Amino acid sequence: MLNRIVKVPVKWSRRMPDPNFDGAHTHFMLVPAKRLPMDIPLDPNPREQNINRPIYRTVGRSLSQEGETIPGSFHLKHRGLTLIASKVTKAPSTHPGLDVLELHFPEGNYGIVDGGHSYEIVRKAQGENSIPDNEYIKLEVITGLAREQLVTDIAGGRNTSIQVHAKSLLDLNKQFEFLKVELAMDGWTDRISWHENEDGMIDVVDVIAILSCFDIASYPDRHNHPVDAYRRKRSMLDRFEKHPERYRRLIPIVRDVLQLHDWIQYDSERRWQEVGGASGAGGRYGRLEMVETKRNGRPNFEFPFLPNGLDSEKRLRRPAVLPILATFRLFVVDDNSIATNGDLQPVRWRNGFDEVLELWTEAGGPLLQAFYEHFNTTGRDLHASGRSPALWGSLYKELALIDAERRSAL
């Protein structure tokens, strides 16, 4: 019988005997993702691997430390791979600081039983040389199973999901329909992933978080701010489900809000340089922690809600975008000329969307400076800044002051 042996460099490993099956063990391993072997068999995995979906692209970005991921956290956020092997043995190591374990895979139902998509994501990232040294992946290797039926049961069980995600249920129940109808006016509906495993440039969870920044019923003034849109964005789905009227009333400005979000991401470099940056030079925008720069060989960032297919090598990161975006709810008011939507009045911009864009042009630089100053003086933790109610409040006051000074000068 052919026995394939795959050598795996491991940072840490432990073995646990099975309490019910004599001779069976589970081996837990932590493996540098960039050193994970590319020839582990997938024989018992019952699913084809299609990683061209938003959820898997998100995993890939996390592995490559793109976007708002915390470096070195991949193994904490992803369950890793589960494998069936006949045995695990130790081999001499030529990798400093790492042990080497040999995984034995006879022909048949041996190999990866769960995590095939993750494995393909790692292999793709290895081919692109985009995995940092400090990212690890967890391996759970089960050995000593004498019954082939048990291997089949494990493979089937590990690949059966009983969870139906909240956004999929909301989509199934047509609760996003009013948003789809409104966004179809600009051809944006297909740019959003409305349920699990649907292609799209942006997840509907992020769309709801963006719209939550303009919920003036919940956050009417400078004392309360939609910080959870960043720190607990999935909780916004619960809010959407329980209080859909708070989002329906935003219909008149929905497309403007999404365009403003993308414009802030895209246009921040110009605003930053216009005010001279943090030190007066203004030329270091692409090196700022609050800015994401595309990696070599990757496509430019796309902005689904901007016209003319605008793209860029840089974009403002989410911890900075959302608190700045939320300040512009200052210019959202009830539209008393439209019939009420339930108990809440539909909204409009105070003096139209053109005024909002003009104010971004005028206030964008100072708002970016205020965000950076807070970040730079409070531990230089980007995610902590994005979660700070004090920062959200100070940005709101900054824009209110700029608006007041502007109006008094007219």
Side-chain angles (χ1 to χ4, degrees):
M1 179 172 62
L2 179 66
N3 183 46
R4 184 187 306 182
I5 299 176
V6 177
K7 294 184 177 182
V8 180
V10 299
K11 183 68 174 179
W12 174 93
S13 64
R14 292 291 186 274
R15 183 182 67 172
M16 181 185 73
D18 193 275
N20 295 321
F21 299 95
D22 290 340
H25 294 82
T26 300
H27 307 254
F28 300 96
M29 308 173 189
L30 201 59
V31 179
K34 69 185 305 178
R35 297 181 182 272
L36 184 69
M38 301 182 73
D39 58 345
I40 300 175
L42 286 151
D43 295 348
N45 195 296
R47 295 190 294 184
E48 295 294 326
Q49 282 68 55
N50 175 13
I51 61 174
N52 189 30
R53 289 177 173 174
I55 186 171
Y56 300 125
R57 292 198 293 268
T58 299
V59 174
R61 289 193 293 269
S62 174
L63 177 61
S64 299
Q65 296 183 0
E66 298 178 32
E68 281 71 59
T69 188
I70 298 175
S73 64
F74 182 80
H75 66 288
L76 299 175
K77 297 183 293 185
H78 303 282
R79 62 185 182 184
L81 313 180
T82 301
L83 303 87
I84 303 291
S86 61
K87 61 181 178 179
V88 174
T89 57
K90 193 168 184 178
S93 176
T94 58
H95 303 277
L98 301 174
D99 293 326
V100 172
L101 298 177
E102 293 180 334
L103 311 187
H104 295 248
F105 301 107
E107 282 186 305
N109 285 337
Y110 290 89
I112 296 174
V113 295
D114 186 34
H117 288 90
S118 297
Y119 187 47
E120 288 301 316
I121 289 167
V122 173
R123 293 206 291 191
K124 181 175 184 289
Q126 285 183 353
E128 297 170 348
N129 196 28
S130 63
I131 305 178
D133 291 338
N134 65 339
E135 294 296 356
Y136 293 84
I137 186 167
K138 292 178 288 192
L139 268 61
E140 178 185 348
V141 184
I142 303 171
T143 62
L145 296 177
R147 295 165 55 187
E148 185 172 336
Q149 180 60 43
L150 186 55
V151 175
T152 303
D153 288 348
I154 292 172
R158 293 295 180 109
N159 283 276
T160 299
S161 174
I162 61 173
Q163 180 183 12
V164 179
H165 291 269
K167 70 175 185 179
S168 295
L169 288 174
L170 289 170
D171 190 37
L172 182 66
N173 292 329
K174 306 293 185 182
Q175 289 175 263
F176 296 136
E177 203 63 26
F178 72 95
L179 287 176
K180 292 182 179 182
V181 170
E182 183 65 21
L183 298 181
M185 297 178 67
D186 284 324
W188 291 350
T189 305
D190 292 340
R191 300 182 186 185
I192 299 172
S193 170
W194 299 95
H195 56 259
E196 291 305 309
N197 296 330
E198 182 181 34
D199 288 336
M201 297 171 65
I202 185 171
D203 195 306
V204 67
V205 178
D206 292 298
V207 171
I208 297 302
I210 292 168
L211 296 180
S212 298
C213 291
F214 291 82
D215 177 8
I216 59 171
S218 301
Y219 312 104
D221 51 37
R222 62 187 177 89
H223 301 293
N224 297 287
H225 302 280
V227 184
D228 279 349
Y230 174 71
R231 66 186 175 191
R232 297 178 61 240
K233 69 176 182 179
R234 292 192 178 276
S235 71
M236 297 296 99
L237 274 185
D238 294 335
R239 183 187 295 271
F240 179 89
E241 183 175 15
K242 294 175 182 176
H243 304 288
E245 71 282 356
R246 297 184 184 180
Y247 295 87
R248 287 182 177 274
R249 73 188 301 234
L250 300 179
I251 287 176
I253 66 168
V254 159
R255 289 177 290 148
D256 296 339
V257 165
L258 296 178
Q259 180 182 335
L260 180 62
H261 170 272
D262 280 15
W263 185 240
I264 290 173
Q265 278 197 311
Y266 176 84
D267 189 55
S268 285
E269 181 173 14
R270 189 182 313 174
R271 301 302 127 223
W272 179 261
Q273 292 178 341
E274 188 177 67
V275 296
S279 61
R284 293 182 62 254
Y285 179 81
R287 296 171 58 191
L288 298 172
E289 291 86 346
M290 66 183 187
V291 177
E292 184 177 7
T293 303
K294 78 160 187 173
R295 293 177 179 267
N296 290 336
R298 296 297 182 93
N300 283 355
F301 297 115
E302 296 180 304
F303 303 90
F305 307 121
L306 292 184
N308 303 322
L310 288 175
D311 61 20
S312 174
E313 293 185 353
K314 308 181 193 76
R315 67 181 176 189
L316 193 65
R317 291 181 183 269
R318 191 167 172 269
V321 173
L322 288 187
I324 290 174
L325 176 70
T327 64
F328 286 88
R329 75 186 188 280
L330 177 68
F331 308 109
V332 177
V333 297
D334 289 345
D335 187 350
N336 294 316
S337 68
I338 303 177
T340 60
N341 185 2
D343 295 331
L344 297 175
Q345 194 74 29
V347 301
R348 61 174 175 85
W349 297 112
R350 183 183 69 189
N351 292 313
F353 188 49
D354 286 345
E355 181 193 46
V356 174
L357 294 176
E358 290 170 6
L359 277 159
W360 161 250
T361 299
E362 182 176 339
L367 291 173
L368 289 163
Q369 285 181 319
F371 179 92
Y372 186 80
E373 181 180 356
H374 181 278
F375 160 79
N376 199 37
T377 58
T378 56
R380 298 183 63 81
D381 185 327
L382 188 64
H383 300 281
S385 295
R387 295 190 296 264
S388 169
L391 174 59
W392 287 62
S394 67
L395 291 173
Y396 186 90
K397 292 175 185 176
E398 176 75 16
L399 183 59
L401 178 61
I402 292 172
D403 177 54
E405 291 174 347
R406 183 176 186 268
R407 296 176 73 182
S408 65
L410 294 177

